Amino acid sequence: MLLAIVFGFVLVLVGVTASALVAVASAHLSSATVNGVVSRDASLVELFVNQNLRVSDLDADGPSASRQPYLSRLLASLTAKDGILRIEIRWKDGRVLASDAADAVGLVATASEEMRSALAGRPRAAVLDAEDPAESVGPALPATSLVREFLPIVDSERKPIAVVAMWRDAGTLLADIDATRRDIMVVTLAAGLLLAIVLFVVFRSAQTRLSRQHSQLIDATRRDALTAMLNHGAIVGILADEIEAARLRSGRIGVALVDMDNFRLFNDTHGHEAADEVLLRVAELVEGEGADGYVARYGPDEFLLVRTGADVPAMEASVARLRAGLADLSVQFGDSERLPVSVSVGICAYPDHAGSVTELLSAAAVAVGEAKASGGDTVRVAQVGEEERVVSGSFDVLHGLVIAVDTKDRYTKRHSEDVARYAVFLAERLDLDEELRKTIHLAGLLHDVGKIGIPDVILRKPSKLTADEYGMFQQHVALGDAIVRDVPNVEVVRAGIRHHHERWDGKGYLEGLEGEGIPLIGRILAVADAFSAMTTTRPYRKALPVEEALKRLGDAAGTQLQEDLVVAFITGLETAPNAPMPGEDASRIWTPQTKVA
């Protein structure tokens, strides 16, 4: 749309410019033509005056009676050529002293502005239309289009003493001007048309390229770079939408989580290129089973197959065909033996095993975990029942979500575990009750679950995010809130997930809450999240030393974070013997002291 507007504006600009060019060129052409005529006639008059007039001819009484016929014949000889229709010699008061029309001699013409200009020493000329007064005396002039000229006659001191008035037939002159104007118009329009064609080709090419790049950019955020399948975030969003639609129409959805066996061994033994080759060959077979549904690369070595309207038996049949294809597939690298390729699969269905996207993915993760635990190359169907079914709030749901986060980004999982530890430690320092501590622990583990829907190109970008990318990244809190919304009795957990990026001074996101308007769990998680973010190596920055992290945490008190919570946290880390520290061996990094920050 923007390119179309710009193209239209350029065409209008070209049209206006062309019209203005024609008008200016025509005006200059007319002026130049008239000036040329005046210059030529001035030379003609000067020659005539110098050769034929006497000083006495220009007295107030005019030429003598004997010279009058002579001058008339001379002037008449000038009108016989070059398109001159009338020529007169006028005294200062407009009286005709001599003329090619003898009966005009002695008549007084109106002293026009142009004649007065000539008497002031400035030649004047104008092109007259049929409606303009000719300002001539004597017989009417035969032409309708005229060029009228007033040329001064000067004495030896260059002072005007009389005026030569001349009228020409402007028909030929105007015809030449019109022809030249038409030529200018044709050339300008041809150039404008050519420019319009060039601009159209350029703009259309640019529009096509921009549209293609935009489509590729949008597709890149939804597609895995290696397999070109939907990526993790895209399939989670699609599955959430399909579940909502199935809930309205009482439909069914089948899900199969396919995990390649021994993929890490392929990678470590034969290298990335060999592992990628195996991955692509498995992806091809998986994609063949997703023709009537959706397939995605769910993790580094995992694929997710989603089919609407399918139940467990239908998914089992699809997986059986996939495994039959894999049975015929073998790979060989270098001098190795022919190696088999197998997968472990977890199958579940909506609404048989789960009522939300969170539960469904958790059920599939648990089922595939059981398949791998049994030795791999196995299919497991999620269990149904009061004791074995995946239930909201159970360890299986939590474990499945943690697995989902870990599959998306291992940093996020490790960071979430650290945040849970730090947040529970702070809750203990605040002497909160045991039930609330458990809730805070759960919220800490799940606070970044929404990042599973953030594209990898943003989540793992090893540099500062752009404004648009940061705006997309901020949505992970809303997505996390949406993912756990169907888990009952977790309003406090949802508050922690949604508000852990609010700031004490009101400059956070997404809702810009301020001070104690932020739920307590959000304020606690904010402190824990900030400390963990600073003390964990991230894609764009190495971990800070604990001392530096605590200093920065203290600097954020009262602006980003609630001051008394920061004080309680730092004091606890400095004094408590069981203070949680970053890393696997905290004692190597930093030993709590009585006073550090």
Side-chain angles (χ1 to χ4, degrees):
M1 178 62 72
L2 179 60
L3 287 178
I5 293 174
V6 173
F7 179 67
F9 176 77
V10 171
L11 288 183
V12 171
L13 183 61
V14 170
V16 172
T17 302
S19 300
L21 178 62
V22 171
V24 171
S26 298
H28 283 288
L29 176 64
S30 299
S31 177
T33 303
V34 171
N35 289 338
V37 171
V38 171
S39 178
R40 185 179 59 186
D41 288 346
S43 299
L44 179 66
V45 167
E46 183 178 6
L47 181 64
F48 176 82
V49 170
N50 291 337
Q51 291 182 352
N52 299 292
L53 287 185
R54 300 174 181 173
V55 176
S56 60
D57 292 336
L58 300 178
D59 290 340
D61 296 333
S64 62
S66 60
R67 284 185 58 80
Q68 224 17 289
Y70 172 72
L71 293 178
S72 293
R73 287 195 302 271
L74 289 177
L75 292 174
S77 67
L78 296 178
T79 62
K81 57 183 179 180
D82 206 19
I84 298 176
L85 301 177
R86 178 72 52 80
I87 183 168
E88 301 174 349
I89 300 176
R90 295 183 180 180
W91 181 243
K92 296 179 182 179
D93 60 1
R95 181 162 48 88
V96 179
L97 301 178
S99 174
D100 64 293
D103 52 357
V105 176
L107 298 179
V108 179
T110 302
S112 65
E113 180 65 29
E114 293 175 336
M115 180 176 171
R116 286 192 291 271
S117 176
L119 287 172
R122 298 185 298 274
R124 293 291 295 272
V127 179
L128 308 179
D129 293 330
E131 296 81 7
D132 296 327
E135 295 186 7
S136 65
V137 295
L141 298 173
T144 56
S145 297
L146 301 171
V147 176
R148 183 181 62 210
E149 303 174 60
F150 290 95
L151 306 172
I153 301 176
V154 299
D155 58 16
S156 59
E157 298 179 355
R158 309 300 297 175
K159 293 181 179 180
I161 57 177
V163 172
V164 174
M166 185 182 298
W167 288 263
R168 286 180 172 275
D169 185 354
T172 302
L173 178 65
L174 293 178
D176 291 341
I177 293 175
D178 288 340
T180 304
R181 184 184 292 113
R182 284 194 300 272
D183 291 343
I184 294 174
M185 178 66 76
V186 169
V187 172
T188 304
L189 289 178
L193 179 61
L194 180 60
L195 178 59
I197 293 173
V198 172
L199 287 175
F200 175 77
V201 173
V202 171
F203 276 82
R204 184 173 182 179
S205 176
Q207 178 65 50
T208 301
R209 183 172 182 178
L210 287 176
S211 298
R212 182 172 63 252
Q213 290 177 342
H214 178 72
S215 177
Q216 291 173 346
L217 180 61
I218 295 299
D219 202 44
T221 64
R222 293 173 49 83
R223 296 281 175 180
D224 173 62
L226 178 63
T227 63
M229 287 181 168
L230 294 171
N231 59 24
H232 187 109
I235 193 63
V236 170
I238 290 173
L239 183 57
D241 293 339
E242 290 293 345
I243 288 177
E244 291 297 325
R247 182 177 289 122
L248 294 176
R249 64 173 184 267
S250 299
R252 308 180 68 83
I253 299 175
V255 172
L257 181 58
V258 180
D259 191 325
M260 294 178 59
D261 295 328
N262 302 320
F263 180 75
R264 182 168 297 178
L265 184 59
F266 271 115
N267 192 67
D268 295 342
T269 305
H270 302 290
H272 295 303
E273 292 185 0
D276 286 347
E277 180 182 340
V278 175
L279 189 72
L280 287 171
R281 296 179 71 174
V282 174
E284 184 178 357
L285 293 173
V286 173
E287 198 160 21
E289 291 301 321
D292 55 349
Y294 306 96
V295 291
R297 186 180 180 186
Y298 192 71
D301 54 354
E302 293 177 325
F303 301 92
L304 192 67
L305 176 60
V306 177
R307 290 176 58 189
T308 57
D311 54 10
V312 168
M315 298 306 296
E316 287 180 315
S318 182
V319 169
R321 290 192 296 270
L322 170 62
R323 297 183 70 208
L326 288 173
D328 297 330
L329 174 65
S330 62
V331 293
Q332 186 174 12
F333 304 104
D335 57 356
S336 73
E337 299 290 338
R338 297 185 65 83
L339 305 174
V341 179
S342 63
V343 295
S344 298
V345 184
I347 295 176
C348 60
Y350 170 88
D352 299 332
H353 301 100
S356 69
V357 63
T358 303
E359 296 176 354
L360 200 61
L361 292 175
S362 297
V366 171
V368 81
E370 293 175 353
K372 293 186 75 68
S374 65
D377 195 17
T378 306
V379 179
R380 287 286 186 268
V381 178
Q383 298 299 311
V384 180
E386 291 298 322
E387 296 180 357
E388 296 179 325
R389 179 180 174 180
V390 178
V391 180
S392 299
S394 70
F395 173 79
D396 286 337
V397 171
L398 173 60
H399 183 66
L401 286 174
V402 171
I403 289 175
V405 174
D406 185 37
T407 301
K408 175 67 174 180
D409 182 41
R410 297 192 181 276
Y411 157 75
T412 300
K413 175 178 179 290
R414 184 173 64 253
H415 166 68
S416 297
E417 292 172 345
D418 287 344
V419 169
R421 290 193 297 124
Y422 302 147
V424 170
F425 174 73
L426 179 54
E428 292 172 351
R429 302 294 300 177
L430 298 176
D431 199 24
L432 300 181
D433 63 75
E434 183 65 26
E435 187 64 28
L436 184 53
R437 294 180 198 176
K438 292 180 180 179
T439 302
I440 290 174
H441 182 265
L442 177 60
L445 291 175
L446 299 180
H447 79 288
D448 273 347
V449 69
K451 288 183 179 179
I452 65 175
I454 302 300
D456 291 346
V457 293
I458 294 177
L459 190 61
R460 300 176 184 176
K461 184 177 181 180
S463 62
K464 186 177 181 179
L465 299 179
T466 66
D468 290 341
E469 290 170 339
Y470 187 59
M472 185 179 295
F473 174 79
Q474 289 177 332
Q475 296 302 314
H476 77 273
V477 295
L479 181 57
D481 182 30
I483 288 175
V484 302
R485 66 185 176 187
D486 292 321
V487 180
N489 303 321
V490 289
E491 291 303 318
V492 178
V493 174
R494 290 182 62 186
I497 293 173
R498 188 171 186 85
H499 300 301
H500 70 276
H501 280 296
E502 303 288 355
R503 289 172 54 107
W504 183 254
D505 57 11
K507 297 180 181 179
Y509 62 88
L510 284 170
E511 300 177 11
L513 302 182
E514 181 179 359
E516 295 187 358
I518 306 170
L520 176 61
I521 191 170
R523 286 176 269 155
I524 291 174
L525 288 178
V527 175
D529 182 66
F531 183 69
S532 173
M534 290 187 287
T535 56
T536 306
T537 296
R538 313 184 81 171
Y540 56 87
R541 173 179 49 75
K542 286 187 176 182
L544 297 176
V546 173
E547 295 90 334
E548 177 64 20
L550 290 179
K551 180 180 181 300
R552 296 190 183 188
L553 200 67
D555 292 341
T559 54
Q560 177 185 348
L561 306 170
Q562 184 176 348
E563 184 173 2
D564 53 350
L565 295 184
V566 172
V567 171
F569 185 73
I570 294 178
T571 302
L573 290 183
E574 293 174 340
T575 60
N578 64 336
M581 289 293 114
E584 297 178 359
D585 187 359
S587 63
R588 293 184 181 179
I589 301 176
W590 182 64
T591 301
Q593 300 176 5
T594 303
K595 182 69 174 177
V596 172

